[in-house]
Amino acid sequence: MKLLTYKTENTEPRLGFLHNNLVVDMEDFGNISNFPLPDNMLDLIDLGFEIISEITDLIEDTREVDFEEISHKMESVTFLAPIPKPRKNIIGIGLNYTEHVAESARTLDTSNELPQQPVIFSKPTTTVTATKTNIILNRKLTNQLDWEVELAVVISKKGKYVPKTDALDYVFGYTIINDISARDCRRSGQWIVSKGQDTFAPMGPILVTKDEIVNPHNLNLSLTVNGIEKQNSNTKFMLFNINDLIEDLSTVFTLEAGDIIATGTPAGVGAGRNPQEWLKEGDVIKCTVEGIGTIENTVKEI
């Protein structure tokens, strides 16, 4: 199922799903189906992944004419981040593609040795923004604004000490995150100032439930700046795959429903180029992940 958070000129943020190129309001669909459903993504996730098959069955039993009054044309709604306000910081994974380890070692103060364990950091919830919004470039903080396309994993249920063999049972679905980074804002090896500024986690455009992604470890992902390709790789090249990450993270701390893991970026970031490239006012960044879609954002200098 392709889920989204959206708003119209007349509504606050609402939960919806895509059906026949229309945005169907989830709560309204529940009303016509006599099956109460929530109006926001986190409440839906809290119901457990099993709710997706129940909703799918209801959709199959619903006449197309019944969708008309509870649907919107996609071009008439504003796509928000699938989870506009996560409950906790986004869990970031650094240096998770081999070639990105190498390029970071050449130009940043990171080791050229492959990590033996996942490199974990976090991004505050205020970093989240939607597709078709601005990424803020604050010249008082940075002159080295960089891009990172990433597959993001959304957790479905509470998990502690999850074995990697069971890890995908704890996944609700997938979305895209652009892990925007200010390379000159790292402080004594700490990354949160570099990674955690407002608007530094564009997310979306939708959340695709895990049943629609046959193999999350074989998805093409790419990024362009002003139409020029900068990154192009595949999730099969992750150093630590999703199973590994969930096992490791759940050993460190309890994972909970609605948690978001940004799984790392491949080579091709601006810091790794010769000469280095940095984002500037008016640049348009598009991040694409196979099976999910594309998010687009524009740099706005303040």
Side-chain angles (χ1 to χ4, degrees), residues 43-87:
D43 284 353
L44 181 72
I45 294 170
D46 285 343
L47 294 176
F49 186 75
E50 298 75 20
I51 193 66
I52 298 302
S53 62
E54 295 183 63
I55 295 171
T56 300
D57 289 342
L58 289 172
I59 291 171
E60 292 176 354
D61 292 337
T62 302
R63 300 177 306 166
E64 289 303 313
V65 67
D66 294 329
F67 284 108
E68 292 180 2
E69 292 188 1
I70 58 169
S71 301
H72 307 274
K73 294 181 179 179
M74 281 196 285
E75 58 269 23
S76 70
V77 308
T78 298
F79 281 63
L80 305 177
I83 303 177
K85 186 71 172 180
R87 291 174 177 140

Side-chain angles (χ1 to χ4, degrees), residues 6-154:
Y6 76 97
K7 66 179 180 180
T8 70
E9 293 181 353
N10 302 316
T11 68
E12 294 297 315
R14 303 279 296 175
L15 174 63
F17 61 90
L18 299 183
H19 176 73
N20 289 344
N21 293 317
L22 293 173
V23 174
V24 182
D25 187 272
M26 184 69 77
E27 186 179 36
D28 290 345
F29 178 68
N31 290 337
I32 69 167
S33 302
N34 197 29
F35 188 87
L37 290 168
D39 64 358
N40 68 88
M41 192 74 75
L42 287 173
D43 284 353
L44 181 72
I45 294 170
D46 285 343
L47 294 176
F49 186 75
E50 298 75 20
I51 193 66
I52 298 302
S53 62
E54 295 183 63
I55 295 171
T56 300
D57 289 342
L58 289 172
I59 291 171
E60 292 176 354
D61 292 337
T62 302
R63 300 177 306 166
E64 289 303 313
V65 67
D66 294 329
F67 284 108
E68 292 180 2
E69 292 188 1
I70 58 169
S71 301
H72 307 274
K73 294 181 179 179
M74 281 196 285
E75 58 269 23
S76 70
V77 308
T78 298
F79 281 63
L80 305 177
I83 303 177
K85 186 71 172 180
R87 291 174 177 140
K88 296 188 293 186
N89 283 9
I90 295 167
I91 304 163
I93 306 298
L95 305 173
N96 201 30
Y97 286 74
T98 303
E99 292 182 357
H100 181 53
V101 173
E103 72 175 359
S104 295
R106 288 195 303 270
T107 55
L108 301 170
D109 58 358
T110 56
S111 172
N112 61 2
E113 296 182 1
L114 295 180
Q116 299 303 299
Q117 296 174 300
V119 177
I120 305 169
F121 62 93
S122 76
K123 297 173 78 79
T125 61
T126 46
T127 58
V128 173
T129 189
T131 187
K132 301 294 180 68
T133 63
N134 291 331
I135 296 167
I136 296 172
L137 168 55
N138 185 346
R139 291 291 186 185
K140 293 180 180 179
L141 291 172
T142 181
N143 289 299
Q144 296 183 356
L145 196 68
D146 206 346
W147 58 81
E148 295 189 7
V149 60
E150 309 200 4
L151 173 69
V153 178
V154 179

Side-chain angles (χ1 to χ4, degrees), residues 216-286:
H217 299 124
N218 187 19
L219 298 176
N220 294 322
L221 68 168
S222 61
L223 180 146
T224 64
V225 178
N226 301 326
I228 300 172
E229 185 175 275
K230 302 296 183 180
Q231 294 181 281
N232 191 329
S233 189
N234 189 287
T235 56
K236 66 185 177 183
F237 297 117
M238 286 183 190
L239 183 58
F240 301 101
N241 68 22
I242 295 165
N243 302 66
D244 298 325
L245 294 175
I246 289 176
E247 180 181 67
D248 184 74
L249 291 168
S250 68
T251 301
V252 178
F253 46 75
T254 300
L255 292 174
E256 297 180 305
D259 282 356
I260 303 166
I261 305 169
T263 58
T265 199
V269 300
R273 294 178 172 272
N274 186 17
Q276 292 179 320
E277 298 178 17
W278 309 117
L279 293 168
K280 62 186 183 304
E281 167 80 17
D283 282 348
V284 177
I285 308 99
K286 294 183 179 182

